[in-house]
């Protein structure tokens, strides 16, 4: 079985809200996500991370491009990097890309389907709805106190 996950993260990977703001944003997300067709509540997880953590789009990721030379970056390189930081997160997002050796940032890579990095995440597992629209994301960001973006994952 596979899962669909909508993750809402701050636009700035290093920014983290206080508990009250995070809880208010999670409460708004809960109001925006209905029960599924079987009458079950959708699972929502709220996480504050000590360090920047990858918020990946899973099987939705089809291509990663280099922001310097435009060449494709192999999924194996990216996957190895995520695996290496799975337990302790990222102290820095700075990387040297394998294609042209340019120095860049992980959040500057060109992901075919958005991926992100964050110290705060609201993850909605298997929602029975379409992804959040711009108005909903704006409202979540307002309650949170910082602009947000959405990562759509298929795991």
């Amino acid at each position: 079985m596979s899962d669909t996950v909508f993750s809402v993260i701050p636009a700035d990977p290093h920014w983290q809200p206080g508990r009250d703001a995070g809880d208010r944003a999670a409460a708004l997300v809960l109001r925006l996500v209905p029960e599924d067709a079987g009458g079950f509540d959708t699972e929502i997880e709220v996480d504050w991370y000590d360090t920047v953590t990858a918020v990946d789009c899973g099987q939705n990721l089809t291509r990663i491009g280099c922001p310097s030379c435009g060449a494709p970056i192999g999924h194996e390189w990216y996957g190895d990097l995520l695996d290496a930081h799975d337990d302790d997160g990222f102290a820095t997002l700075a990387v040297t890309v394998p294609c042209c050796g340019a120095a860049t940032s992980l959040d500057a890579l060109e992901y075919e389907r958005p991926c992100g990095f964050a110290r705060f995440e609201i993850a909605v597992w298997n929602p029975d709805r379409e992804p959040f629209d711009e108005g909903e994301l704006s409202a979540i960001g307002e309650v949170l106190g910082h602009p947000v973006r959405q990562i759509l994952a298929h795991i």
Side-chain angles (χ1 to χ4, degrees), residues 1-5 55-63 75 78 82 112-115 151-155:
M1 185 173 153
S2 63
D3 291 304
T4 298
V5 183
V55 181
D56 189 70
C57 69
Q59 296 172 4
N60 286 337
L61 184 60
T62 55
R63 182 183 184 280
H75 287 207
Y78 180 71
L82 294 186
E112 185 74 24
R113 295 287 299 266
C115 291
I151 308 298
L152 305 175
H154 185 73
I155 303 170

Side-chain angles (χ1 to χ4, degrees), residues 26-149:
L28 174 56
V29 168
L30 186 60
R31 287 193 304 272
L32 294 172
V33 178
E35 292 179 345
D36 71 12
F40 298 102
D41 288 335
T42 301
E43 183 180 347
I44 296 178
E45 294 177 4
V46 182
D47 291 300
W48 281 262
Y49 303 115
D50 292 333
T51 58
V52 176
T53 300
V55 181
D56 189 70
C57 69
Q59 296 172 4
N60 286 337
L61 184 60
T62 55
R63 182 183 184 280
I64 305 168
C66 174
S68 294
C69 71
I73 295 174
H75 287 207
E76 185 174 329
W77 176 84
Y78 180 71
D80 288 348
L81 193 60
L82 294 186
D83 287 345
H85 294 276
D86 190 43
D87 291 333
D88 58 352
F90 292 88
T92 177
L93 295 177
V95 292
T96 301
V97 288
C99 49
C100 64
T104 188
S105 176
L106 285 169
D107 60 338
L109 297 179
E110 299 168 349
Y111 301 98
E112 185 74 24
R113 295 287 299 266
C115 291
F117 299 86
R119 292 190 56 225
F120 175 77
E121 175 184 13
I122 302 171
V124 183
W125 288 79
N126 300 310
D128 193 20
R129 60 157 291 160
E130 294 296 314
F132 297 117
D133 64 31
E134 289 302 317
E136 291 168 324
L137 290 172
S138 180
I140 296 166
E142 186 174 316
V143 168
L144 191 63
H146 189 85
V148 297
R149 51 191 299 248

